[in-house]
């Protein structure tokens, strides 16, 4: 079993819909959670990060962490065709951990249709 | 503009050949990383370096080699000992151990073995 599980998709939604993405994990030591967005044939870029449990909002994006269920989510409101990308979750047992301490999910491909 | 430059974007290799992927950064970051990305799998760490003239193996270092002679440069050699080298390779950097875990990625190099 992988340490971080993520549905590969693709997840296809109409423009304007809410996109709901999630990752489950098995390591209860994880406390720092990130979402990266990766456009086709490009490198990932950091979208959001959050510590421990709770919600964090940034514009149309909301990240949620439920440590008791070992489950994190990313919601994209009012989705746009430009949101079409692969979304990768990443996590670490340490706050502000370096890249060698990160564990990545496999990514979910999202298609937002006009 | 600061960033990470990877070259070549696409590379074809015959079995038994070594190839070197270039990674250059002008972000003045101390730490640099090489990841491998396969469809449906999370990013897997090959090698990382936190300081010039020093590097450590990641989770899947077998069949790869690196050098870090300059802060800006972290080339990856895929040797003939790597049994399944066809993949998308990503170079990344971060400000170091004290950073917020944000990785800055290059645009990747796609290696195909013929």
């Amino acid at each position: 079993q992988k340490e971080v599980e993520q549905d590969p998709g693709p997840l296809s939604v109409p423009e304007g819909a809410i996109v709901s993405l999630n990752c489950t994990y098995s390591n209860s030591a994880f406390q720092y959670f990130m979402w990266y967005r990766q456009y086709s044939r490009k490198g990932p870029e950091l979208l959001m990060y959050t510590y421990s449990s709770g919600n964090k909002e940034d514009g149309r994006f909301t990240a949620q962490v439920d440590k008791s269920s070992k489950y994190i989510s990313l919601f994209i409101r009012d989705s746009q065709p430009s949101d079409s990308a692969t979304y990768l979750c990443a996590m670490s047992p340490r706050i502000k951990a370096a890249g060698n301490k990160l564990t990545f999910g496999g990514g979910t491909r999202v298609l937002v249709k006009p | 503009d600061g960033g990470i430059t990877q070259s070549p974007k696409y590379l074809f290799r015959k079995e038994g050949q070594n190839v070197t992927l270039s990674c250059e950064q002008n972000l003045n970051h101390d730490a640099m990383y090489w990841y491998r990305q396969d469809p449906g799998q999370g990013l897997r760490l090959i090698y990382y370096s936190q300081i010039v003239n020093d590097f450590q193996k990641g989770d899947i270092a077998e069949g790869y080699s690196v050098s870090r002679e300059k802060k800006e440069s972290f080339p990856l050699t895929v040797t003939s000992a790597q049994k399944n080298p066809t993949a998308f390779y990503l170079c990344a950097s971060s400000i170091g151990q004290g950073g917020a875990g944000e990785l800055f990625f290059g645009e990747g190099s796609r290696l195909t073995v013929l």
Side-chain angles (χ1 to χ4, degrees):
Chain A
Q1 187 186 3
K2 292 180 184 175
E3 211 168 2
V4 178
E5 298 275 2
Q6 194 174 1
D7 189 323
L11 179 62
S12 184
V13 300
E15 183 175 354
I18 294 175
V19 176
S20 175
L21 304 166
N22 58 74
C23 289
T24 58
Y25 61 94
S26 56
N27 187 346
S28 57
F30 288 147
Q31 57 173 322
Y32 183 65
F33 305 93
M34 286 152 283
W35 287 95
Y36 281 83
R37 178 175 61 195
Q38 184 177 21
Y39 290 115
S40 182
R41 300 187 188 90
K42 301 289 186 183
E45 55 182 347
L46 183 65
L47 202 55
M48 293 183 72
Y49 66 88
T50 186
Y51 308 126
S52 196
S53 287
N55 290 5
K56 183 175 182 179
E57 207 170 297
D58 184 0
R60 296 185 296 113
F61 299 88
T62 300
Q64 283 186 353
V65 175
D66 181 349
K67 288 189 71 183
S68 61
S69 301
K70 298 191 184 69
Y71 188 90
I72 68 170
S73 301
L74 178 72
F75 300 98
I76 307 173
R77 290 184 300 280
D78 187 24
S79 58
Q80 305 294 312
S82 58
D83 294 324
S84 297
T86 296
Y87 291 81
L88 302 154
C89 62
M91 45 196 80
S92 168
R94 279 183 55 201
I95 292 173
K96 295 188 178 183
N100 54 300
K101 302 296 185 187
L102 297 180
T103 302
F104 285 87
T108 299
R109 188 165 158 239
V110 172
L111 297 169
V112 180
K113 296 184 176 179
Chain B
D1 277 325
I4 297 180
T5 301
Q6 287 187 243
S7 63
K9 272 180 140 7
Y10 300 94
L11 186 60
F12 297 90
R13 184 193 101 173
K14 292 181 181 178
E15 282 195 29
Q17 286 182 334
N18 292 355
V19 293
T20 297
L21 307 180
S22 169
C23 178
E24 303 278 330
Q25 56 105 352
N26 60 3
L27 299 167
N28 200 32
H29 285 170
D30 290 318
M32 296 187 73
Y33 310 86
W34 275 105
Y35 291 91
R36 171 177 172 145
Q37 187 174 33
D38 295 285
Q41 295 201 39
L43 301 186
R44 291 184 290 168
L45 184 64
I46 304 172
Y47 268 98
Y48 64 100
S49 167
Q50 294 176 336
I51 197 167
V52 173
N53 291 323
D54 188 44
F55 48 83
Q56 286 78 40
K57 292 181 179 180
D59 301 317
I60 56 165
E62 186 175 350
Y64 301 97
S65 66
V66 293
S67 62
R68 187 89 187 274
E69 297 176 2
K70 298 187 298 182
K71 187 175 184 177
E72 307 79 30
S73 179
F74 191 42
L76 173 75
T77 296
V78 184
T79 75
S80 56
Q82 169 49 236
K83 297 306 177 191
N84 185 22
T86 294
F88 190 52
Y89 291 89
L90 287 160
C91 179
S93 70
S94 69
I95 203 156
Q97 282 280 7
E102 180 175 359
L103 293 171
F104 293 83
F105 287 90
E107 294 204 337
S109 294
R110 184 166 297 280
L111 172 63
T112 303
V113 173
L114 303 172

